Amino acid sequence: MIYLDWAASSVPDLYLLKKSVDIYSSYYANPSALHREGQNAQDFLNKCRKEIAEIIGCRDNEIIFTSGGTESNNIVINSVITKAGKKHKPHVIISGLEHDSVYNPAKALSELGIEVSIVNPEKSGLISAESIKNHIKENTVLVSLITVSNETGAIQPVKDISDTVMEYSKNKDRKILFHTDAVQAFGKVKFNPEELNIDAASISAHKIGGSRGIGILYIKSGCGLKPLYRGGNQEMGIRPGTENLHGIYNLSLVCRKNLSKLDNNFKKAEKLMDTIIKELSQINGTVFLPQSRLNEPEKFSPYILKVSFPPVPGEVLVRVLQDREICISTGSACSSRKKSRQRILISMGIPEKTAYSSVRISTGYETTEKDIDNFIKTLKEELPILQKASG
Amino acid sequence: MIYLDWAASSVPDLYLLKKSVDIYSSYYANPSALHREGQNAQDFLNKCRKEIAEIIGCRDNEIIFTSGGTESNNIVINSVITKAGKKHKPHVIISGLEHDSVYNPAKALSELGIEVSIVNPEKSGLISAESIKNHIKENTVLVSLITVSNETGAIQPVKDISDTVMEYSKNKDRKILFHTDAVQAFGKVKFNPEELNIDAASISAHKIGGSRGIGILYIKSGCGLKPLYRGGNQEMGIRPGTENLHGIYNLSLVCRKNLSKLDNNFKKAEKLMDTIIKELSQINGTVFLPQSRLNEPEKFSPYILKVSFPPVPGEVLVRVLQDREICISTGSACSSRKKSRQRILISMGIPEKTAYSSVRISTGYETTEKDIDNFIKTLKEELPILQKASG
């Protein structure tokens, strides 16, 4: 089986998963317990946090463990609610590229009467600093922009935009919080919160070979957030609940593994993506989404490609390739069953028909040249038949 | 090391943890993905849900997987917010016995202007149906009552109270939702949602030998709840985020294990608790919390005992026993570092001094008679010294 849906969920590193479960036999006590076993668990938790902070390049107290990307995104977006007073009407900016776990909570904010601006990308799939700047207002409190689009792989100019946002709020009473959903970036492309000049970032373990149910909210010191929900005082009060210690340990292990191999993996992914793009370019009627990717490959993650073969419906192609033991997707798994699943492509100005025919191909560190060769070969066999049948 | 803090977190079943991690190599695809690997993962998820529903005695679609007890409780309590309109001011009833993950979100509701009544228990540590009934009003939308107190082990008369609540709302337009935090009940004492006549229940895996970071919100069909946060359509839209499949599988395994051995484990725990109570009764100055436990042992979980040895501070006893390789606790780990940690005992009318001297002893299915004998022996050696030193 050839798995080319790493952006939905990665092939787990089973060795690291087992290793992390093993330590749970030594650290099963509740880290909040006052006895020694509890203290040992707390010490181990602190060690994992320190390890991850070092890898990310931030302070220990800037790492909040959550259940994953969706929860991390929601903590940030929902924190705006507590900023809403009777006098003060906050304003939020998100991009049209955001994942459902940013887009839907932002929609929920607007139902509560909070003003939300959705800034659409250029045709290139990139958000411009200019367009964000044009939407900033006196009452803007939050800007949220995905680092790497989970649909197209476009690497957003996060630093340009965060600089613009920071510059705007420099001399104001109220700071604008800049958040990025880094789920498709962290562990795959270069990502340093300080260099990117961001306040908050969401990270998920299962996108980089780690456990399900564990993620990080990076939040810069001094940018205090309110919790999404309440309970004990865990995670500095931002995220209550008994800590998922084996998940957290697993996250520290996969962080270490991915970050140490980041450059090598990236180069390998680039090479594979070059092959894919070169081969697909030769197929009649292939539309790259966006088409500009061909001229500016450096602006895209080499792990994700969105491409359309009109008039073949994306879903049909996914199912036909599945019968040939190849897994690709139509796009975000989280919205795979939604009617609105082409929302992001449409925000880029892509015609509905082209979007309808699109598929996402996403690789990972285990993907081989042979996988890609077989995928291309199979696609070339199936596409003419499907194109004929569809159109 | 003798571990008597099972109520904070249980000793994990490492065999089942490893077994659940193993299946992740077969079902790593995103269950929302449309390709076959995704479908296989979805099928496996459905199978686990069905298995757990069978064990609990409910329908598949009544099981929502969450990150644990804290999140399950918060989903229920926060759902009241969406019921608040300009005309309609909802009213919520919780007991004074609730864990911080019910108590604190309820406090947050009251900060939002939602009316919250906190009903205190009798001196027996039990909430009476009468006292709940006296607090029900026209605008009551939710009653939340813990099944087994995590502080005293008192098994609340959940059925009496839910019957009272259901009776009240029978002929009304608006149904009152009855929720119970069953984290210390499920897998340990008899617990059947239908028999108990409840609408919603919170369950946690790590309290019964399972993985951290996974739990259940049982929600009866037709009692539709709003999600606490937004994203994809997972878990019937109530709890978004890529499903923690190995955690869910682990939950199904520990459910099966605990429920099949429930009666045997219960009898064993009863026997151990009888020994503990008998032995502690012979120590001068022992105060059982509540004292009525001696006359009505059947109203308490045999897994949890709260006891006080004034004037020895609970924290001192915990630390002294830790140096003798015995883990007990002062009470809920989640509130171990809070000043308010005696809130629950004080709600029972227990003097602050007695509460200050209290400790919690909680056993699990691995606790042996020898553990208890050693604990008693050590306690009898240390207590006189501490009592003398304390005053």
Side-chain angles (χ1 to χ4, degrees):
Chain A
M1 210 264 306
I2 298 170
Y3 187 71
L4 298 173
D5 196 16
W6 286 70
S9 207
S10 62
V11 177
D13 184 322
L14 216 62
Y15 170 76
L16 295 186
L17 257 180
K18 284 183 180 169
K19 191 174 168 182
S20 35
V21 161
D22 271 334
I23 63 96
Y24 194 35
S25 60
S26 311
Y27 301 107
Y28 57 81
N30 194 313
S32 301
L34 300 175
H35 48 66
R36 189 183 299 140
E37 296 302 306
Q39 292 301 305
N40 286 347
Q42 183 71 50
D43 290 347
F44 188 73
L45 171 64
N46 292 343
K47 202 181 137 203
C48 293
R49 196 189 306 279
K50 201 174 149 71
E51 167 95 359
I52 292 171
E54 266 176 30
I55 296 168
I56 293 181
C58 66
R59 299 184 203 177
D60 303 11
N61 65 0
E62 295 176 327
I63 300 290
I64 306 288
F65 295 113
T66 70
S67 67
T70 289
E71 190 183 0
S72 295
N73 285 337
N74 271 270
I75 292 174
V76 174
I77 305 297
N78 280 279
S79 69
V80 174
I81 297 174
T82 59
K83 289 184 180 164
K86 269 176 191 167
K87 276 191 230 165
H88 173 52
K89 289 276 172 215
H91 170 240
V92 172
I93 301 173
I94 68 166
S95 89
L97 296 171
E98 300 309 309
H99 183 266
D100 277 355
S101 57
V102 165
Y103 189 84
N104 289 339
K107 279 284 189 192
L109 287 187
S110 66
E111 282 160 26
L112 292 174
I114 292 169
E115 208 182 338
V116 178
S117 300
I118 300 174
V119 177
N120 281 340
E122 318 276 296
K123 283 204 161 175
S124 63
L126 295 162
I127 302 285
S128 73
E130 192 64 22
S131 65
I132 296 283
K133 198 179 169 185
N134 290 342
H135 282 85
I136 297 178
K137 306 201 292 185
E138 276 298 321
N139 57 337
T140 305
V141 294
L142 171 67
V143 175
S144 183
L145 171 65
I146 198 163
T147 320
V148 169
S149 166
N150 61 309
E151 281 289 320
T152 67
I155 304 172
Q156 301 303 316
V158 169
K159 188 173 159 48
D160 280 5
I161 296 178
S162 62
D163 284 350
T164 305
V165 170
M166 299 297 174
E167 180 64 27
Y168 181 91
S169 58
K170 207 169 62 181
N171 300 316
K172 309 279 174 179
D173 292 346
R174 193 181 313 116
K175 196 180 150 12
I176 300 175
L177 192 89
F178 188 90
H179 166 253
T180 188
D181 172 355
V183 161
Q184 298 292 352
F186 182 75
K188 296 181 174 180
V189 304
K190 264 192 189 153
F191 181 82
N192 179 297
E194 203 182 319
E195 281 173 19
L196 289 175
N197 195 20
I198 58 173
D199 296 317
S202 305
I203 288 168
S204 166
H206 82 94
K207 302 289 190 188
I208 54 170
S211 172
R212 291 276 172 80
I214 190 75
I216 291 172
L217 171 61
Y218 160 82
I219 173 83
K220 193 159 86 183
S221 300
C223 296
L225 281 185
K226 294 273 177 177
L228 178 60
Y229 53 85
R230 322 285 169 115
N233 259 338
Q234 294 94 346
E235 296 303 306
M236 292 151 258
I238 309 259
R239 207 286 182 172
T242 307
E243 296 89 341
N244 178 356
L245 210 53
H246 50 100
I248 290 167
Y249 180 50
N250 180 262
L251 188 47
S252 78
L253 296 174
V254 295
C255 278
R256 173 69 66 198
K257 179 184 166 188
N258 279 276
L259 274 286
S260 68
K261 295 185 177 176
L262 193 134
D263 288 341
N264 278 347
N265 287 341
F266 187 90
K267 276 176 203 155
K268 202 189 103 188
E270 264 187 328
K271 208 178 153 201
L272 296 177
M273 189 51 78
D274 283 351
T275 306
I276 299 172
I277 289 178
K278 201 186 103 203
E279 293 288 342
L280 296 190
S281 301
Q282 292 165 8
I283 296 174
N284 221 351
T286 302
V287 183
F288 293 95
L289 302 176
Q291 199 68 23
S292 62
R293 178 163 192 157
L294 295 174
N295 313 318
E296 308 179 304
E298 73 285 357
K299 291 190 175 169
F300 292 80
S301 163
Y303 291 100
I304 297 176
L305 176 72
K306 189 87 177 184
V307 66
S308 186
F309 305 101
V312 182
E315 211 169 315
V316 170
L317 184 54
V318 167
R319 292 184 193 278
V320 166
L321 288 181
Q322 140 192 307
D323 289 339
R324 301 287 305 268
E325 302 291 314
I326 294 168
C327 289
I328 63 167
S329 73
T330 51
S332 165
C334 282
S335 34
S336 67
R337 285 178 176 78
K338 288 185 181 175
K339 281 188 180 162
S340 61
R341 70 183 158 88
Q342 301 304 351
R343 161 178 67 78
I344 289 171
L345 294 184
I346 286 160
S347 83
M348 287 164 59
I350 288 166
E352 221 165 304
K353 265 185 147 174
T354 315
Y356 180 70
S357 290
S358 69
V359 292
R360 180 179 69 181
I361 297 143
S362 57
T363 65
Y365 52 77
E366 283 188 5
T367 311
T368 62
E369 281 184 34
K370 204 180 149 198
D371 288 341
I372 298 305
D373 292 346
N374 283 334
F375 159 64
I376 297 288
K377 187 173 157 277
T378 312
L379 186 71
K380 283 183 174 172
E381 287 167 17
E382 297 291 350
L383 256 186
I385 306 165
L386 291 173
Q387 280 167 329
K388 209 173 164 185
S390 307
Chain B
M1 210 266 303
I2 297 170
Y3 187 71
L4 297 173
D5 195 16
W6 285 71
S9 207
S10 62
V11 178
D13 185 321
L14 217 61
Y15 170 76
L16 295 186
L17 257 180
K18 283 183 181 171
K19 191 173 167 183
S20 36
V21 161
D22 270 336
I23 64 94
Y24 194 36
S25 61
S26 310
Y27 300 107
Y28 58 80
N30 194 313
S32 301
L34 299 175
H35 47 67
R36 188 182 300 140
E37 295 301 306
Q39 292 301 305
N40 287 346
Q42 183 70 50
D43 291 347
F44 188 73
L45 171 65
N46 293 344
K47 201 182 138 203
C48 293
R49 196 190 306 279
K50 201 174 150 71
E51 166 96 359
I52 292 171
E54 266 176 29
I55 296 169
I56 293 181
C58 66
R59 299 184 202 175
D60 302 13
N61 65 359
E62 296 177 326
I63 300 289
I64 307 288
F65 294 112
T66 70
S67 67
T70 290
E71 190 183 0
S72 295
N73 285 337
N74 271 270
I75 293 174
V76 174
I77 305 297
N78 280 280
S79 69
V80 173
I81 297 175
T82 58
K83 290 185 179 163
K86 268 175 191 165
K87 275 192 230 163
H88 173 52
K89 290 274 174 217
H91 170 240
V92 172
I93 300 174
I94 67 166
S95 88
L97 297 171
E98 300 309 310
H99 183 265
D100 277 356
S101 57
V102 166
Y103 188 83
N104 289 339
K107 280 282 187 195
L109 287 187
S110 66
E111 283 160 25
L112 292 174
I114 291 169
E115 209 183 338
V116 178
S117 300
I118 300 174
V119 176
N120 281 340
E122 318 275 297
K123 282 202 163 176
S124 62
L126 295 163
I127 302 285
S128 73
E130 192 64 22
S131 65
I132 295 283
K133 197 179 169 185
N134 290 341
H135 282 83
I136 297 178
K137 305 202 294 186
E138 275 299 319
N139 57 337
T140 305
V141 294
L142 172 67
V143 175
S144 183
L145 171 66
I146 198 163
T147 319
V148 169
S149 167
N150 60 310
E151 281 289 321
T152 67
I155 304 172
Q156 301 303 316
V158 169
K159 188 174 159 48
D160 280 5
I161 296 178
S162 62
D163 283 349
T164 305
V165 170
M166 300 295 174
E167 180 64 26
Y168 181 91
S169 58
K170 207 170 59 180
N171 300 317
K172 309 279 174 179
D173 291 346
R174 194 182 311 118
K175 195 179 149 17
I176 300 174
L177 192 89
F178 188 90
H179 166 254
T180 188
D181 172 356
V183 162
Q184 298 292 352
F186 182 75
K188 297 181 175 181
V189 305
K190 264 193 189 153
F191 181 82
N192 179 298
E194 203 181 320
E195 282 172 19
L196 288 174
N197 195 20
I198 58 174
D199 296 317
S202 305
I203 288 169
S204 167
H206 82 93
K207 303 289 191 188
I208 54 171
S211 172
R212 290 275 173 81
I214 190 76
I216 291 172
L217 172 60
Y218 160 81
I219 173 84
K220 193 159 85 181
S221 300
C223 296
L225 282 183
K226 293 273 177 176
L228 178 60
Y229 53 85
R230 321 286 169 115
N233 259 339
Q234 295 94 346
E235 297 304 307
M236 292 150 257
I238 309 258
R239 207 286 183 172
T242 308
E243 297 89 341
N244 178 357
L245 208 54
H246 52 98
I248 289 167
Y249 179 49
N250 180 262
L251 189 47
S252 78
L253 295 174
V254 295
C255 278
R256 173 68 67 198
K257 180 184 165 187
N258 279 276
L259 275 286
S260 67
K261 295 185 177 175
L262 194 134
D263 289 341
N264 278 347
N265 286 342
F266 188 90
K267 276 176 202 154
K268 202 189 104 188
E270 263 188 328
K271 208 177 153 200
L272 296 178
M273 189 51 79
D274 283 350
T275 307
I276 299 172
I277 289 179
K278 201 187 103 204
E279 293 288 340
L280 297 190
S281 301
Q282 291 164 10
I283 296 173
N284 222 351
T286 301
V287 183
F288 293 95
L289 301 177
Q291 199 67 23
S292 62
R293 178 162 192 158
L294 296 175
N295 312 319
E296 308 180 301
E298 74 286 356
K299 291 191 176 169
F300 292 81
S301 162
Y303 291 99
I304 298 176
L305 176 73
K306 190 86 176 184
V307 66
S308 186
F309 305 99
V312 183
E315 211 169 315
V316 171
L317 183 55
V318 167
R319 290 182 194 280
V320 166
L321 288 181
Q322 141 192 306
D323 289 339
R324 301 286 305 268
E325 302 292 314
I326 294 168
C327 289
I328 63 167
S329 73
T330 52
S332 165
C334 282
S335 35
S336 66
R337 285 177 175 79
K338 287 184 183 175
K339 282 187 180 164
S340 61
R341 70 183 157 89
Q342 301 304 352
R343 162 177 67 78
I344 289 171
L345 294 184
I346 286 161
S347 83
M348 288 164 59
I350 288 166
E352 220 165 304
K353 265 185 148 174
T354 315
Y356 179 70
S357 290
S358 68
V359 291
R360 181 179 69 181
I361 297 143
S362 56
T363 65
Y365 52 77
E366 284 188 6
T367 311
T368 62
E369 282 184 32
K370 205 180 151 199
D371 288 341
I372 298 305
D373 292 346
N374 283 333
F375 159 63
I376 298 288
K377 187 172 158 277
T378 312
L379 187 71
K380 282 183 176 171
E381 286 166 16
E382 297 291 349
L383 256 188
I385 307 165
L386 291 173
Q387 280 167 330
K388 209 172 165 185
S390 307

